[in-house]
Every structure is written in C-alpha cells, then in structure tokens.
Short mmCIF file of all heavy atoms in Angstrom, two decimals:
data_model
loop_
_atom_site.label_atom_id
_atom_site.label_comp_id
_atom_site.label_asym_id
_atom_site.label_seq_id
_atom_site.Cartn_x
_atom_site.Cartn_y
_atom_site.Cartn_z
N MET A 5 -50.11 184.85 -112.00
CA MET A 5 -50.56 183.85 -112.95
C MET A 5 -51.77 184.41 -113.70
O MET A 5 -52.73 184.86 -113.08
CB MET A 5 -50.93 182.56 -112.20
CG MET A 5 -51.40 181.47 -113.11
SD MET A 5 -51.72 179.90 -112.28
CE MET A 5 -50.08 179.22 -112.24
N ASP A 6 -51.73 184.34 -115.01
CA ASP A 6 -52.84 184.85 -115.80
C ASP A 6 -53.83 183.72 -116.11
O ASP A 6 -53.61 182.56 -115.78
CB ASP A 6 -52.34 185.51 -117.08
CG ASP A 6 -51.57 184.55 -117.98
OD1 ASP A 6 -51.16 183.48 -117.50
OD2 ASP A 6 -51.39 184.86 -119.15
N VAL A 7 -54.93 184.07 -116.72
CA VAL A 7 -56.01 183.12 -116.98
C VAL A 7 -55.56 182.02 -117.94
O VAL A 7 -55.92 180.85 -117.75
CB VAL A 7 -57.23 183.87 -117.55
CG1 VAL A 7 -58.34 182.91 -117.90
CG2 VAL A 7 -57.73 184.91 -116.56
N VAL A 8 -54.77 182.36 -118.93
CA VAL A 8 -54.30 181.36 -119.90
C VAL A 8 -53.41 180.33 -119.20
O VAL A 8 -53.57 179.12 -119.40
CB VAL A 8 -53.57 182.03 -121.08
CG1 VAL A 8 -52.94 181.00 -121.99
CG2 VAL A 8 -54.53 182.92 -121.87
N SER A 9 -52.52 180.78 -118.36
CA SER A 9 -51.65 179.85 -117.62
C SER A 9 -52.46 178.96 -116.70
O SER A 9 -52.18 177.77 -116.56
CB SER A 9 -50.61 180.62 -116.82
OG SER A 9 -49.78 181.36 -117.67
N LEU A 10 -53.45 179.54 -116.06
CA LEU A 10 -54.31 178.77 -115.16
C LEU A 10 -55.08 177.69 -115.93
O LEU A 10 -55.16 176.55 -115.50
CB LEU A 10 -55.29 179.71 -114.45
CG LEU A 10 -56.17 179.09 -113.38
CD1 LEU A 10 -55.32 178.56 -112.24
CD2 LEU A 10 -57.16 180.12 -112.87
N GLY A 11 -55.62 178.06 -117.08
CA GLY A 11 -56.37 177.09 -117.88
C GLY A 11 -55.49 175.98 -118.43
O GLY A 11 -55.92 174.82 -118.51
N LYS A 12 -54.26 176.31 -118.80
CA LYS A 12 -53.36 175.32 -119.37
C LYS A 12 -52.68 174.46 -118.32
O LYS A 12 -52.10 173.42 -118.64
CB LYS A 12 -52.30 176.01 -120.22
CG LYS A 12 -52.87 176.61 -121.50
CD LYS A 12 -51.86 177.41 -122.27
CE LYS A 12 -50.78 176.53 -122.83
NZ LYS A 12 -49.85 177.25 -123.71
N ALA A 13 -52.78 174.84 -117.05
CA ALA A 13 -52.09 174.12 -115.98
C ALA A 13 -52.60 172.68 -115.84
O ALA A 13 -51.83 171.78 -115.50
CB ALA A 13 -52.24 174.85 -114.66
N GLY A 14 -53.86 172.45 -116.10
CA GLY A 14 -54.42 171.12 -115.93
C GLY A 14 -54.28 170.22 -117.13
O GLY A 14 -54.72 169.07 -117.10
N LEU A 15 -53.66 170.69 -118.18
CA LEU A 15 -53.53 169.88 -119.38
C LEU A 15 -52.29 168.99 -119.29
O LEU A 15 -51.17 169.45 -119.41
CB LEU A 15 -53.44 170.78 -120.62
CG LEU A 15 -54.69 171.58 -120.94
CD1 LEU A 15 -54.43 172.51 -122.11
CD2 LEU A 15 -55.85 170.66 -121.25
N GLN A 16 -52.56 167.72 -119.08
CA GLN A 16 -51.48 166.73 -119.04
C GLN A 16 -51.96 165.47 -119.73
O GLN A 16 -53.15 165.19 -119.77
CB GLN A 16 -51.11 166.41 -117.60
CG GLN A 16 -50.53 167.59 -116.85
CD GLN A 16 -50.20 167.22 -115.41
OE1 GLN A 16 -50.20 166.06 -115.04
NE2 GLN A 16 -49.92 168.22 -114.62
N GLY A 17 -51.05 164.74 -120.29
CA GLY A 17 -51.38 163.46 -120.92
C GLY A 17 -52.26 163.64 -122.14
O GLY A 17 -52.02 164.49 -122.99
N TRP A 18 -53.32 162.83 -122.20
CA TRP A 18 -54.19 162.86 -123.37
C TRP A 18 -54.95 164.17 -123.49
O TRP A 18 -55.32 164.58 -124.58
CB TRP A 18 -55.13 161.66 -123.38
CG TRP A 18 -56.16 161.66 -122.27
CD1 TRP A 18 -56.02 161.12 -121.03
CD2 TRP A 18 -57.47 162.24 -122.32
NE1 TRP A 18 -57.17 161.32 -120.31
CE2 TRP A 18 -58.07 162.00 -121.07
CE3 TRP A 18 -58.18 162.92 -123.29
CZ2 TRP A 18 -59.37 162.43 -120.78
CZ3 TRP A 18 -59.47 163.35 -122.99
CH2 TRP A 18 -60.05 163.10 -121.75
N ARG A 19 -55.19 164.83 -122.36
CA ARG A 19 -55.89 166.11 -122.40
C ARG A 19 -55.03 167.17 -123.10
O ARG A 19 -55.54 167.99 -123.87
CB ARG A 19 -56.26 166.56 -121.00
CG ARG A 19 -57.31 165.69 -120.36
CD ARG A 19 -57.52 166.07 -118.90
NE ARG A 19 -58.47 165.20 -118.26
CZ ARG A 19 -58.15 164.11 -117.58
NH1 ARG A 19 -56.88 163.77 -117.46
NH2 ARG A 19 -59.08 163.36 -117.03
N ALA A 20 -53.74 167.15 -122.86
CA ALA A 20 -52.82 168.08 -123.51
C ALA A 20 -52.75 167.79 -125.01
O ALA A 20 -52.73 168.72 -125.83
CB ALA A 20 -51.44 168.00 -122.88
N LYS A 21 -52.72 166.51 -125.37
CA LYS A 21 -52.68 166.14 -126.79
C LYS A 21 -53.96 166.58 -127.49
O LYS A 21 -53.92 167.08 -128.61
CB LYS A 21 -52.49 164.64 -126.94
CG LYS A 21 -51.11 164.17 -126.53
CD LYS A 21 -50.98 162.68 -126.68
CE LYS A 21 -49.64 162.22 -126.16
NZ LYS A 21 -49.48 160.77 -126.27
N LEU A 22 -55.09 166.43 -126.81
CA LEU A 22 -56.36 166.86 -127.39
C LEU A 22 -56.38 168.38 -127.57
O LEU A 22 -56.77 168.88 -128.63
CB LEU A 22 -57.52 166.43 -126.49
CG LEU A 22 -58.90 166.91 -126.93
CD1 LEU A 22 -59.35 166.14 -128.16
CD2 LEU A 22 -59.89 166.75 -125.81
N ALA A 23 -55.93 169.11 -126.55
CA ALA A 23 -55.90 170.57 -126.64
C ALA A 23 -54.97 171.03 -127.75
O ALA A 23 -55.29 171.98 -128.48
CB ALA A 23 -55.47 171.16 -125.30
N ASP A 24 -53.83 170.38 -127.89
CA ASP A 24 -52.90 170.74 -128.96
C ASP A 24 -53.51 170.49 -130.34
O ASP A 24 -53.36 171.30 -131.26
CB ASP A 24 -51.60 169.93 -128.84
CG ASP A 24 -50.75 170.37 -127.66
OD1 ASP A 24 -50.95 171.49 -127.16
OD2 ASP A 24 -49.90 169.57 -127.24
N ALA A 25 -54.22 169.37 -130.48
CA ALA A 25 -54.82 169.03 -131.76
C ALA A 25 -55.97 169.98 -132.13
O ALA A 25 -56.16 170.30 -133.29
CB ALA A 25 -55.34 167.59 -131.73
N VAL A 26 -56.70 170.44 -131.15
CA VAL A 26 -57.85 171.29 -131.39
C VAL A 26 -57.46 172.76 -131.53
O VAL A 26 -58.08 173.51 -132.29
CB VAL A 26 -58.87 171.12 -130.24
CG1 VAL A 26 -59.97 172.15 -130.29
CG2 VAL A 26 -59.46 169.72 -130.27
N ALA A 27 -56.42 173.18 -130.83
CA ALA A 27 -56.07 174.60 -130.75
C ALA A 27 -55.74 175.21 -132.10
O ALA A 27 -56.21 176.31 -132.42
CB ALA A 27 -54.90 174.79 -129.79
N GLY A 28 -54.96 174.54 -132.90
CA GLY A 28 -54.56 175.10 -134.19
C GLY A 28 -55.73 175.35 -135.13
O GLY A 28 -55.92 176.48 -135.61
N PRO A 29 -56.52 174.33 -135.42
CA PRO A 29 -57.66 174.54 -136.32
C PRO A 29 -58.67 175.57 -135.81
O PRO A 29 -59.18 176.37 -136.58
CB PRO A 29 -58.30 173.15 -136.42
CG PRO A 29 -57.22 172.20 -136.10
CD PRO A 29 -56.34 172.90 -135.11
N VAL A 30 -58.96 175.54 -134.52
CA VAL A 30 -59.92 176.51 -133.97
C VAL A 30 -59.35 177.92 -134.05
O VAL A 30 -60.06 178.87 -134.40
CB VAL A 30 -60.30 176.14 -132.52
CG1 VAL A 30 -61.12 177.25 -131.87
CG2 VAL A 30 -61.06 174.83 -132.49
N ALA A 31 -58.07 178.08 -133.76
CA ALA A 31 -57.46 179.40 -133.81
C ALA A 31 -57.44 179.96 -135.24
O ALA A 31 -57.62 181.16 -135.44
CB ALA A 31 -56.04 179.34 -133.25
N ARG A 32 -57.23 179.08 -136.21
CA ARG A 32 -57.23 179.53 -137.61
C ARG A 32 -58.62 179.97 -138.07
O ARG A 32 -58.75 180.85 -138.91
CB ARG A 32 -56.71 178.43 -138.52
CG ARG A 32 -55.20 178.30 -138.49
CD ARG A 32 -54.70 177.42 -139.61
NE ARG A 32 -55.16 176.03 -139.49
CZ ARG A 32 -54.54 175.09 -138.79
NH1 ARG A 32 -53.44 175.39 -138.12
NH2 ARG A 32 -55.01 173.85 -138.76
N ARG A 33 -59.65 179.37 -137.52
CA ARG A 33 -61.01 179.68 -137.95
C ARG A 33 -61.68 180.76 -137.11
O ARG A 33 -62.81 181.15 -137.40
CB ARG A 33 -61.86 178.41 -137.89
CG ARG A 33 -61.48 177.41 -138.94
CD ARG A 33 -62.37 176.19 -138.88
NE ARG A 33 -62.07 175.25 -139.94
CZ ARG A 33 -61.21 174.24 -139.83
NH1 ARG A 33 -60.55 174.07 -138.71
NH2 ARG A 33 -61.00 173.44 -140.85
N SER A 34 -61.02 181.20 -136.07
CA SER A 34 -61.62 182.20 -135.19
C SER A 34 -60.60 183.30 -134.90
O SER A 34 -59.50 183.30 -135.41
CB SER A 34 -62.09 181.56 -133.89
OG SER A 34 -60.98 181.05 -133.17
N ARG A 35 -60.99 184.22 -134.08
CA ARG A 35 -60.12 185.35 -133.75
C ARG A 35 -59.39 185.16 -132.43
O ARG A 35 -58.90 186.13 -131.85
CB ARG A 35 -60.96 186.62 -133.67
CG ARG A 35 -61.56 187.00 -135.00
CD ARG A 35 -62.34 188.28 -134.90
NE ARG A 35 -62.89 188.62 -136.19
CZ ARG A 35 -63.80 189.54 -136.37
NH1 ARG A 35 -64.27 190.22 -135.34
NH2 ARG A 35 -64.25 189.80 -137.58
N VAL A 36 -59.30 183.95 -131.95
CA VAL A 36 -58.61 183.70 -130.69
C VAL A 36 -57.27 183.04 -130.95
O VAL A 36 -57.06 182.39 -131.97
CB VAL A 36 -59.45 182.84 -129.73
CG1 VAL A 36 -60.71 183.57 -129.30
CG2 VAL A 36 -59.81 181.52 -130.35
N ASP A 37 -56.37 183.20 -130.00
CA ASP A 37 -55.04 182.63 -130.08
C ASP A 37 -55.08 181.15 -129.70
O ASP A 37 -55.95 180.72 -128.94
CB ASP A 37 -54.13 183.41 -129.12
CG ASP A 37 -52.68 183.05 -129.29
OD1 ASP A 37 -52.24 182.89 -130.44
OD2 ASP A 37 -51.98 182.93 -128.26
N ALA A 38 -54.15 180.36 -130.21
CA ALA A 38 -54.10 178.93 -129.89
C ALA A 38 -53.93 178.70 -128.40
O ALA A 38 -54.50 177.76 -127.84
CB ALA A 38 -52.98 178.25 -130.67
N ASP A 39 -53.16 179.55 -127.72
CA ASP A 39 -53.00 179.42 -126.26
C ASP A 39 -54.32 179.62 -125.53
O ASP A 39 -54.61 178.95 -124.55
CB ASP A 39 -51.98 180.43 -125.74
CG ASP A 39 -50.56 180.04 -126.07
OD1 ASP A 39 -50.32 178.83 -126.33
OD2 ASP A 39 -49.68 180.92 -126.07
N GLN A 40 -55.14 180.53 -126.04
CA GLN A 40 -56.44 180.77 -125.42
C GLN A 40 -57.37 179.57 -125.62
O GLN A 40 -58.12 179.21 -124.72
CB GLN A 40 -57.08 182.03 -125.99
CG GLN A 40 -56.35 183.29 -125.60
CD GLN A 40 -56.87 184.51 -126.32
OE1 GLN A 40 -57.39 184.42 -127.43
NE2 GLN A 40 -56.72 185.66 -125.68
N VAL A 41 -57.29 178.94 -126.78
CA VAL A 41 -58.10 177.75 -127.03
C VAL A 41 -57.67 176.63 -126.08
O VAL A 41 -58.51 175.95 -125.48
CB VAL A 41 -57.98 177.29 -128.50
CG1 VAL A 41 -58.72 175.97 -128.72
CG2 VAL A 41 -58.49 178.36 -129.44
N GLN A 42 -56.38 176.46 -125.91
CA GLN A 42 -55.88 175.44 -124.98
C GLN A 42 -56.34 175.75 -123.55
O GLN A 42 -56.70 174.84 -122.80
CB GLN A 42 -54.37 175.37 -125.04
CG GLN A 42 -53.86 174.76 -126.31
CD GLN A 42 -52.34 174.79 -126.40
OE1 GLN A 42 -51.69 175.64 -125.81
NE2 GLN A 42 -51.79 173.87 -127.17
N ALA A 43 -56.35 177.01 -123.18
CA ALA A 43 -56.79 177.40 -121.84
C ALA A 43 -58.27 177.08 -121.64
O ALA A 43 -58.67 176.61 -120.57
CB ALA A 43 -56.54 178.88 -121.61
N VAL A 44 -59.07 177.29 -122.67
CA VAL A 44 -60.50 176.98 -122.56
C VAL A 44 -60.70 175.47 -122.41
O VAL A 44 -61.49 175.02 -121.58
CB VAL A 44 -61.27 177.53 -123.78
CG1 VAL A 44 -62.69 176.98 -123.82
CG2 VAL A 44 -61.29 179.04 -123.75
N VAL A 45 -59.97 174.70 -123.20
CA VAL A 45 -60.07 173.24 -123.10
C VAL A 45 -59.66 172.79 -121.69
O VAL A 45 -60.33 171.97 -121.06
CB VAL A 45 -59.23 172.54 -124.19
CG1 VAL A 45 -59.18 171.04 -123.96
CG2 VAL A 45 -59.78 172.86 -125.56
N GLY A 46 -58.57 173.34 -121.18
CA GLY A 46 -58.14 173.02 -119.82
C GLY A 46 -59.17 173.42 -118.79
O GLY A 46 -59.42 172.68 -117.83
N GLY A 47 -59.79 174.58 -118.97
CA GLY A 47 -60.82 175.03 -118.05
C GLY A 47 -62.03 174.12 -118.06
O GLY A 47 -62.63 173.83 -117.02
N VAL A 48 -62.40 173.65 -119.25
CA VAL A 48 -63.54 172.73 -119.35
C VAL A 48 -63.24 171.43 -118.62
O VAL A 48 -64.09 170.92 -117.86
CB VAL A 48 -63.89 172.47 -120.83
CG1 VAL A 48 -64.85 171.30 -120.98
CG2 VAL A 48 -64.48 173.72 -121.46
N PHE A 49 -62.06 170.89 -118.80
CA PHE A 49 -61.70 169.66 -118.09
C PHE A 49 -61.65 169.89 -116.58
O PHE A 49 -62.05 169.02 -115.81
CB PHE A 49 -60.36 169.11 -118.58
CG PHE A 49 -60.48 168.36 -119.88
CD1 PHE A 49 -59.74 168.74 -120.98
CD2 PHE A 49 -61.32 167.27 -120.00
CE1 PHE A 49 -59.84 168.06 -122.17
CE2 PHE A 49 -61.43 166.57 -121.19
CZ PHE A 49 -60.69 166.97 -122.29
N PHE A 50 -61.20 171.06 -116.15
CA PHE A 50 -61.17 171.36 -114.73
C PHE A 50 -62.59 171.41 -114.16
O PHE A 50 -62.87 170.81 -113.12
CB PHE A 50 -60.47 172.70 -114.48
CG PHE A 50 -60.48 173.12 -113.05
CD1 PHE A 50 -59.66 172.50 -112.12
CD2 PHE A 50 -61.34 174.12 -112.61
CE1 PHE A 50 -59.69 172.88 -110.79
CE2 PHE A 50 -61.37 174.50 -111.29
CZ PHE A 50 -60.54 173.88 -110.37
N VAL A 51 -63.48 172.09 -114.85
CA VAL A 51 -64.87 172.18 -114.38
C VAL A 51 -65.52 170.80 -114.34
O VAL A 51 -66.23 170.46 -113.37
CB VAL A 51 -65.68 173.16 -115.26
CG1 VAL A 51 -67.17 173.07 -114.98
CG2 VAL A 51 -65.19 174.58 -115.05
N LEU A 52 -65.28 169.99 -115.35
CA LEU A 52 -65.84 168.64 -115.36
C LEU A 52 -65.31 167.81 -114.19
O LEU A 52 -66.06 167.04 -113.58
CB LEU A 52 -65.52 167.94 -116.68
CG LEU A 52 -66.26 168.45 -117.91
CD1 LEU A 52 -65.74 167.77 -119.17
CD2 LEU A 52 -67.75 168.24 -117.77
N SER A 53 -64.05 167.99 -113.84
CA SER A 53 -63.48 167.27 -112.71
C SER A 53 -64.13 167.70 -111.40
O SER A 53 -64.45 166.88 -110.54
CB SER A 53 -61.98 167.52 -112.63
OG SER A 53 -61.34 167.02 -113.77
N VAL A 54 -64.34 169.00 -111.25
CA VAL A 54 -64.97 169.51 -110.03
C VAL A 54 -66.40 168.99 -109.92
O VAL A 54 -66.83 168.56 -108.84
CB VAL A 54 -64.93 171.06 -110.01
CG1 VAL A 54 -65.80 171.62 -108.91
CG2 VAL A 54 -63.50 171.55 -109.87
N VAL A 55 -67.14 169.00 -111.02
CA VAL A 55 -68.51 168.49 -111.00
C VAL A 55 -68.52 167.01 -110.63
O VAL A 55 -69.36 166.56 -109.84
CB VAL A 55 -69.18 168.72 -112.38
CG1 VAL A 55 -70.48 167.96 -112.50
CG2 VAL A 55 -69.40 170.20 -112.60
N TYR A 56 -67.57 166.25 -111.14
CA TYR A 56 -67.48 164.83 -110.82
C TYR A 56 -67.21 164.62 -109.33
O TYR A 56 -67.86 163.80 -108.68
CB TYR A 56 -66.39 164.17 -111.66
CG TYR A 56 -66.17 162.72 -111.32
CD1 TYR A 56 -67.05 161.74 -111.77
CD2 TYR A 56 -65.09 162.32 -110.53
CE1 TYR A 56 -66.85 160.41 -111.45
CE2 TYR A 56 -64.88 161.00 -110.21
CZ TYR A 56 -65.78 160.04 -110.67
OH TYR A 56 -65.59 158.73 -110.33
N VAL A 57 -66.28 165.38 -108.78
CA VAL A 57 -65.93 165.23 -107.36
C VAL A 57 -67.12 165.63 -106.48
O VAL A 57 -67.44 164.95 -105.50
CB VAL A 57 -64.67 166.06 -107.02
CG1 VAL A 57 -64.46 166.13 -105.52
CG2 VAL A 57 -63.46 165.46 -107.70
N ILE A 58 -67.78 166.71 -106.82
CA ILE A 58 -68.93 167.15 -106.03
C ILE A 58 -70.04 166.09 -106.07
O ILE A 58 -70.66 165.78 -105.05
CB ILE A 58 -69.44 168.52 -106.52
CG1 ILE A 58 -68.44 169.60 -106.14
CG2 ILE A 58 -70.82 168.83 -105.95
CD1 ILE A 58 -68.74 170.96 -106.73
N GLY A 59 -70.30 165.54 -107.24
CA GLY A 59 -71.30 164.48 -107.35
C GLY A 59 -70.95 163.26 -106.53
O GLY A 59 -71.81 162.66 -105.87
N THR A 60 -69.68 162.89 -106.53
CA THR A 60 -69.23 161.74 -105.75
C THR A 60 -69.39 162.00 -104.26
O THR A 60 -69.86 161.13 -103.51
CB THR A 60 -67.75 161.42 -106.07
OG1 THR A 60 -67.64 161.16 -107.47
CG2 THR A 60 -67.27 160.22 -105.29
N VAL A 61 -69.03 163.19 -103.81
CA VAL A 61 -69.17 163.54 -102.39
C VAL A 61 -70.64 163.54 -101.98
O VAL A 61 -71.00 163.04 -100.91
CB VAL A 61 -68.50 164.91 -102.10
CG1 VAL A 61 -68.86 165.41 -100.72
CG2 VAL A 61 -66.99 164.80 -102.26
N ARG A 62 -71.50 164.07 -102.84
CA ARG A 62 -72.94 164.07 -102.53
C ARG A 62 -73.48 162.64 -102.42
O ARG A 62 -74.29 162.35 -101.54
CB ARG A 62 -73.70 164.83 -103.59
CG ARG A 62 -73.59 166.32 -103.45
CD ARG A 62 -74.47 167.02 -104.46
NE ARG A 62 -74.39 168.47 -104.29
CZ ARG A 62 -74.93 169.33 -105.11
NH1 ARG A 62 -75.57 168.91 -106.19
NH2 ARG A 62 -74.82 170.62 -104.88
N ARG A 63 -73.07 161.76 -103.34
CA ARG A 63 -73.53 160.38 -103.28
C ARG A 63 -73.03 159.71 -102.02
O ARG A 63 -73.76 158.95 -101.37
CB ARG A 63 -73.08 159.63 -104.51
CG ARG A 63 -73.92 159.93 -105.75
CD ARG A 63 -73.63 158.96 -106.89
NE ARG A 63 -72.24 158.97 -107.31
CZ ARG A 63 -71.71 159.84 -108.18
NH1 ARG A 63 -72.47 160.77 -108.70
NH2 ARG A 63 -70.45 159.77 -108.52
N MET A 64 -71.79 159.97 -101.64
CA MET A 64 -71.23 159.38 -100.42
C MET A 64 -71.95 159.91 -99.19
O MET A 64 -72.22 159.17 -98.25
CB MET A 64 -69.74 159.65 -100.33
CG MET A 64 -68.93 158.87 -101.33
SD MET A 64 -67.17 159.27 -101.28
CE MET A 64 -66.78 158.84 -99.60
N ALA A 65 -72.27 161.20 -99.17
CA ALA A 65 -72.96 161.79 -98.03
C ALA A 65 -74.38 161.25 -97.91
O ALA A 65 -74.90 161.09 -96.81
CB ALA A 65 -72.99 163.32 -98.18
N GLY A 66 -75.00 160.96 -99.03
CA GLY A 66 -76.35 160.42 -99.01
C GLY A 66 -76.42 158.99 -98.53
O GLY A 66 -77.44 158.54 -98.01
N GLN A 67 -75.33 158.26 -98.62
CA GLN A 67 -75.30 156.87 -98.17
C GLN A 67 -75.08 156.76 -96.68
O GLN A 67 -75.37 155.74 -96.09
CB GLN A 67 -74.20 156.10 -98.90
CG GLN A 67 -74.47 155.90 -100.36
CD GLN A 67 -73.35 155.17 -101.06
OE1 GLN A 67 -72.33 154.85 -100.45
NE2 GLN A 67 -73.51 154.92 -102.35
N GLY A 68 -74.53 157.82 -96.08
CA GLY A 68 -74.19 157.78 -94.64
C GLY A 68 -75.35 157.95 -93.80
O GLY A 68 -76.04 157.46 -93.09
#
C-alpha cells in the first residue's frame, strides 16, 4: 500500500465529496496530482480523528 492509497482510505461520505471538490482546483493551481491532494485531505482528517480520540481518552482518564 502506498502513501496515496493510505491517505485516500479514510475518505468516505462527505469527506470524500470534499476531497473530490478540492482536488481538481488545487491540482490545477499547483504541481501535485489530484490523487495526492485527496490523500493529503484524507491524512488531515485521519490526524484530526486521532487527536480527538486521544483528547477524549485523556479527559476520561482524568475523571477516574
């Protein structure tokens, strides 16, 4: 599995629609491929999810 496939793996639902809408215009204005833009968007959503889960676990651990 390459980095682009990994980044695009998390794109489902509205996140996939957002990545599709953003990928074309960004790719036309830059030197990156539309698939790479989608992978970056997917990676950002993945990182945000991990940060959210870690924050939730920390809050739960602090209450115990």
